[in-house]
Amino acid sequence: MSKLDIKNGLIEMGHGSGGRASATLIEEIFVRHFDNELLNQGNDQALFSIPAGRMVISTDGHVITPLFFPGGDIGSLSIHGTVNDVAMSGATPLYLSASFILEEGFPLADLERIVISMAKASIDAGVPVVTGDTKVVERGKGDGVFITTTGVGIVPDGINISGDLAKPGDAIIVSGSIGDHGIAILSSREGLQFGTTIESDSAALHTLVAEMIAIAPAIRCLRDPTRGGLATTLNELARQSNVGISIQETSIPIKAEVKGACELLGLDPLYIANEGKLVCIVPAEDAGQLLAAMHKHPLGQNAAIIGNVCEDAQQMVVMKTAFGGSRVVDWLAGEQLPRIC
Amino acid sequence: MSKLDIKNGLIEMGHGSGGRASATLIEEIFVRHFDNELLNQGNDQALFSIPAGRMVISTDGHVITPLFFPGGDIGSLSIHGTVNDVAMSGATPLYLSASFILEEGFPLADLERIVISMAKASIDAGVPVVTGDTKVVERGKGDGVFITTTGVGIVPDGINISGDLAKPGDAIIVSGSIGDHGIAILSSREGLQFGTTIESDSAALHTLVAEMIAIAPAIRCLRDPTRGGLATTLNELARQSNVGISIQETSIPIKAEVKGACELLGLDPLYIANEGKLVCIVPAEDAGQLLAAMHKHPLGQNAAIIGNVCEDAQQMVVMKTAFGGSRVVDWLAGEQLPRIC
């Protein structure tokens, strides 16, 4: 097999042919960096043993722009995003697949940089990429690289977490400051500086979730507030569970620089995407102990109780503002920040 | 939630926001047509029970152009392609995920037509789409719709099928005529007519595989010769198993109209993509009985033994031609038909 010129080479249509050029690309970039026994089998599928039980599957396409941003890139994001979607059921993520749609002319060096970052995120999370696929589209029919990852995981016995299980009286916890990811992408896109560089919070939350369900197995709902932000996630949960939600603005953790950037840009941090945060709904009696456990985990240090579930046939999310008033927090309408993940 | 104008509407950036417009799109197109209990849970992941055993996972991105072609469309193809990749391990496919990358301006009516076709293919195969994701990219940054599907399945006890298990002396079977898919796409793309309309062979092969492993549990390798065609699949298997492969041109099933089209266009049918065919390597003593069983299945009626595995440290695929000579059948080099799947 001919060698790739990773330093200077570009993606060509032949890399998607399924023939020799595809095989070379797969070996020299994907297999080389993802390097694990299951992927190395070289079949069109990966085979592994599983115990009897409950499995979850989740998938996410990633089309973020720019591909590289403060705190991560499309590669690490594509691992974190799907690990998190699996973990939000309480499951232990086991394996990932990755599908790449590459644009003709995309630099091989950028692809390798992304794959190295993906491999690192995957190894750090302990969730290997065991199978994949690569397609190439003509110049002008894609945008560099799109990555769809799919993950599977096993839900521990006794854990029942779903968006439709919130009950009036439950407490609502957010695991840390909101808005970091969206503001990091926006400032990187527009070349804006807000004193310091705001970094994306992109992170894999499954170890935090494991500690949370060990302390509070009665957790009802977990969801990561990505596109649409905290506001949209709370509205989704209110609708699925047919409840109302009441939150306090002053309880919501937000970094000063993110708050400042939002004020400057006229953005509402409640609608800004996060990639390393979760929302948890838990029986009120478990909330204190759970919060204390979250504070001991690096990704939950700034966790806070931000409100509670209430009865409301209208399924409204209402926020007590810092000024003592209250306002309805609606679903995100329109598109605030396109291609944020 | 506002209603979609499916008849006249177009995909807008807001449909990828994660907010209200996304929720409307998901409900009125995806949930409505895929309609199954797991998807309807409305979580970011789907949960199901599994037995202890061996599972496979496989993923495929679909970027075919045109989106609609004789014998199928990107929707049905995206189901068949991944069901087949799962089935090529001998597994019973259980569930699918689907990730859509939509281009701004794509007609909602076309999207619905594709999703209806996907849903039909999925229901016909008995393999539901249980979770998904939708992203939208700006006009000119995509090409209508790309669909990545991922499938999981369970491998029955006693079945061990992998590309590295072929042994000298084994027989090689192909399940039917080659080249139909590629020629159907090409003729539809170029507006060519070859007497009759050549249809894609796009089909889900898992029921054929189930009957094959019931008769011949010692099957060593199964693979669907998609991109790169039969020639590339045989080369992959020869390399993985470190063997040579010998085939007879006159034994390879090919429809007269596909053969004619290939001659007219100067294409080699060995390199043309298939989407409803498989290659099987099986101990020679099982080949006759297996072939008889395949002939009883609608998707195996034209199955044929096309050659055998031999010792060859060079891992060559050699074909005895119709004229009595022999030629090396190499990997596909370059790109014959871009975006064929």
Side-chain angles (χ1 to χ4, degrees), chain A residues 6 28-29 32-33 108-116:
Chain A
I6 293 180
E28 295 187 22
I29 293 191
R32 178 164 158 235
H33 293 296
L108 291 176
D110 284 353
L111 178 62
E112 186 181 49
R113 185 176 159 201
I114 288 165
V115 172
I116 288 172

Side-chain angles (χ1 to χ4, degrees), chain A residues 54-57 89 155 160-165 221 223 236-237 239-241, chain B residues 26-27 31 34-49 95 129-132:
Chain A
R54 292 174 303 154
M55 173 169 270
V56 291
I57 183 168
S89 65
V155 183
N160 290 293
I161 295 171
S162 177
D164 57 356
L165 298 176
C221 314
R223 192 159 293 175
E236 285 173 10
L237 295 171
R239 186 164 65 142
Q240 263 184 279
S241 291
Chain B
I26 289 166
E27 276 173 34
V31 172
F34 289 137
D35 186 32
N36 62 72
E37 211 175 296
L38 292 175
L39 185 68
N40 296 352
Q41 289 170 349
N43 291 321
D44 288 341
Q45 68 291 122
L47 184 146
F48 48 87
S49 292
Y95 300 106
V129 175
V130 296
T131 192

Side-chain angles (χ1 to χ4, degrees), chain A residues 1-335:
Chain A
M1 294 272 157
S2 58
K3 295 284 285 179
L4 283 184
D5 177 4
I6 293 180
K7 200 171 159 197
N8 302 305
L10 303 177
I11 286 290
E12 298 164 14
M13 293 308 291
H15 289 124
S17 66
R20 192 184 289 278
S22 295
T24 304
L25 181 75
I26 290 167
E27 276 174 33
E28 295 187 22
I29 293 191
F30 297 114
V31 172
R32 178 164 158 235
H33 293 296
F34 289 137
D35 186 31
N36 63 71
E37 212 176 295
L38 291 175
L39 185 67
N40 296 352
Q41 290 170 349
N43 290 322
D44 287 341
Q45 68 292 120
L47 184 147
F48 48 86
S49 292
I50 42 152
R54 292 174 303 154
M55 173 169 270
V56 291
I57 183 168
S58 188
T59 194
D60 246 339
H62 296 87
V63 300
I64 193 165
T65 179
L67 297 172
F68 304 95
F69 49 82
D73 55 56
I74 192 173
S76 52
L77 182 71
S78 73
I79 300 293
H80 296 155
T82 295
V83 163
N84 291 348
D85 277 346
V86 168
M88 292 306 125
S89 65
T92 308
L94 294 180
Y95 299 106
L96 293 167
S97 68
S99 158
F100 295 81
I101 297 175
L102 304 170
E103 185 189 8
E104 181 188 16
F106 188 62
L108 291 176
D110 284 353
L111 178 62
E112 186 181 49
R113 185 176 159 201
I114 288 165
V115 172
I116 288 172
S117 165
M118 266 182 102
K120 181 179 184 309
S122 150
I123 289 165
D124 288 351
V127 189
V129 175
V130 296
T131 193
D133 184 59
T134 306
K135 294 291 190 301
V136 178
V137 295
E138 301 87 347
R139 211 180 281 263
K141 301 291 185 183
D143 196 14
V145 55
F146 302 142
I147 306 176
T148 294
T149 47
T150 306
V152 292
I154 299 287
V155 183
D157 287 342
I159 300 301
N160 290 293
I161 295 171
S162 177
D164 57 356
L165 298 176
K167 306 252 178 315
D170 287 350
I172 301 171
I173 296 175
V174 67
S175 64
S177 62
I178 64 164
D180 302 7
H181 176 73
I183 294 300
I185 300 306
L186 187 67
S187 54
S188 136
R189 221 179 258 173
E190 310 291 342
L192 300 173
Q193 294 292 332
F194 302 105
T196 56
T197 299
I198 297 169
E199 293 210 337
S200 166
D201 59 345
S202 179
L205 293 165
H206 59 313
T207 61
L208 174 63
V209 170
E211 295 191 12
M212 290 170 67
I213 61 177
I215 292 285
I219 287 173
R220 314 235 208 234
C221 314
L222 287 174
R223 192 159 293 175
D224 50 340
T226 55
R227 280 183 293 177
L230 180 63
T232 301
T233 295
L234 293 175
N235 272 285
E236 285 173 10
L237 295 171
R239 186 164 65 142
Q240 263 184 279
S241 291
N242 190 24
V243 295
I245 282 179
S246 166
I247 56 173
Q248 290 80 44
E249 185 171 18
T250 51
S251 305
I252 300 170
I254 178 165
K255 288 179 181 157
E257 58 268 35
V258 171
K259 198 173 181 180
C262 283
E263 282 170 3
L264 198 68
L265 298 165
L267 295 171
D268 185 339
L270 290 175
Y271 293 92
I272 306 282
N274 310 277
E275 290 290 346
K277 298 295 164 8
L278 60 80
V279 174
C280 173
I281 300 186
V282 63
E285 60 269 28
D286 295 340
Q289 210 180 351
L290 175 57
L291 195 65
M294 292 176 75
H295 286 159
K296 289 180 192 152
H297 191 284
L299 295 174
Q301 284 173 344
N302 299 310
I305 296 174
I306 61 165
N308 58 275
V309 178
C310 52
E311 284 193 41
D312 180 1
Q314 303 296 312
Q315 307 166 349
M316 301 245 269
V317 178
V318 177
M319 183 168 77
K320 286 201 183 124
T321 67
F323 304 106
S326 73
R327 70 168 171 101
V328 172
V329 177
D330 203 354
W331 291 73
L332 172 64
E335 172 62 300

Side-chain angles (χ1 to χ4, degrees), chain B residues 35 106 188 200 211 216-217 222 276 307 321 334 336:
Chain B
D35 186 32
F106 188 63
S188 137
S200 167
E211 295 191 12
L222 287 175
T321 67
Q336 199 177 39

